Amino acid sequence: MSDDTSLTASRRGVLQLLGAAAALASWPGMARAQDAEEPDEASVLRDPDAPVLGNASGDIAIVEWFDYNCPYCRKLDPELQQVVHDDGKVRWVLKEWPILGPVSVTAARMALACKYQDKYAKAHEALIGTSSKLTESRIDELLAEGGIDVDRAKRDLSANGKAIDAMLARNDSQARGLRFRGTPSFIVGKFRVPGVLTMAQFEQVIADARKAKAAN
């Protein structure tokens, strides 16, 4: 995977902002020591269990590592959704990375359990869209308000817990292997993008990723 420093010289304005974003990556709940090996491209972009939003056949992938209790992830989500919608050709891969405590783990596990009733997108929207701190009871309330059968989600979690926990373990290992230090962190095409970007910056990095792909 290419580092974000691989962006062209004409994008120096964005690069400076990326550097500033990286400096903000030492938020509470940082990942454990960065001792994992860097993952291969296929495992990051094409994990068959990873939820995908946007255009599943898109020409460029945005891979996001996030935590439902992360205020930066919540703030960014509406703008990122808009970028993905407006572009129309972005494959948005979501990687739950619950590094902000046990309740974050509960939220991630419940969201992934909602895949089994084909309602992951609704679960994600319900949990990432709240402005309040999550608790286990609040998770259930938000999911129910989002149209999720919470009792079924808990049954599915019980039946598929090993697969869900394996998914979370892969997400964690990949994030550490990519030397990410906090949420949110991204891969856009083959560029590593740690931190929060504006809509315009995302659009620019997507454009750069397409140019890099076309040049190969």
Side-chain angles (χ1 to χ4, degrees), residues 3-194:
D3 221 345
D4 48 26
T5 52
S6 299
L7 292 169
T8 61
S10 64
R11 305 304 190 187
R12 284 176 183 166
V14 172
L15 281 175
Q16 291 170 357
L17 291 168
L18 288 176
L24 292 173
S26 56
W27 300 313
M30 287 196 310
R32 297 188 299 275
Q34 308 294 310
D35 55 357
E37 292 185 3
E38 182 166 323
D40 64 89
E41 186 172 329
S43 68
V44 171
L45 299 182
R46 298 290 174 183
D47 188 320
D49 294 328
V52 175
L53 302 181
N55 185 341
S57 301
D59 64 335
I60 287 295
I62 293 179
V63 187
E64 178 185 7
W65 282 260
F66 67 94
D67 186 307
Y68 284 117
N69 261 323
C70 167
Y72 306 96
C73 303
R74 292 176 180 179
K75 181 178 179 180
L76 176 67
D77 190 75
E79 293 190 352
L80 183 52
Q81 284 194 44
Q82 192 66 50
V83 169
V84 171
H85 176 270
D86 291 349
D87 184 283
K89 295 186 292 183
V90 171
R91 184 174 178 269
W92 184 10
V93 183
L94 292 165
K95 305 262 189 180
E96 289 86 352
W97 191 26
I99 56 175
L100 297 176
V103 174
S104 291
V105 175
T106 298
R109 296 179 86 233
M110 283 293 288
L112 288 170
C114 291
K115 291 193 305 177
Y116 297 93
Q117 54 181 292
D118 295 323
K119 290 186 177 179
Y120 174 84
K122 288 186 176 182
H124 178 75
E125 184 176 349
L127 295 176
I128 204 72
T130 187
S131 59
S132 60
K133 184 176 178 63
L134 292 177
T135 62
E136 291 194 16
S137 61
R138 184 62 177 146
I139 291 167
D140 290 353
E141 290 173 2
L142 289 167
L143 292 178
E145 291 169 3
I148 306 298
D149 182 337
V150 176
D151 288 337
R152 177 179 169 180
K154 290 183 177 181
R155 292 195 301 271
D156 287 335
L157 177 57
S158 179
N160 300 282
K162 288 185 179 179
I164 288 170
D165 290 343
M167 171 92 263
L168 294 176
R170 290 197 299 277
N171 293 351
D172 177 66
S173 179
Q174 290 169 7
R176 290 186 292 113
L178 290 164
R179 304 303 186 259
F180 291 145
R181 297 180 62 201
T183 55
S185 291
F186 301 89
I187 295 290
V188 181
K190 293 187 179 182
F191 298 131
R192 303 179 201 193
V193 184

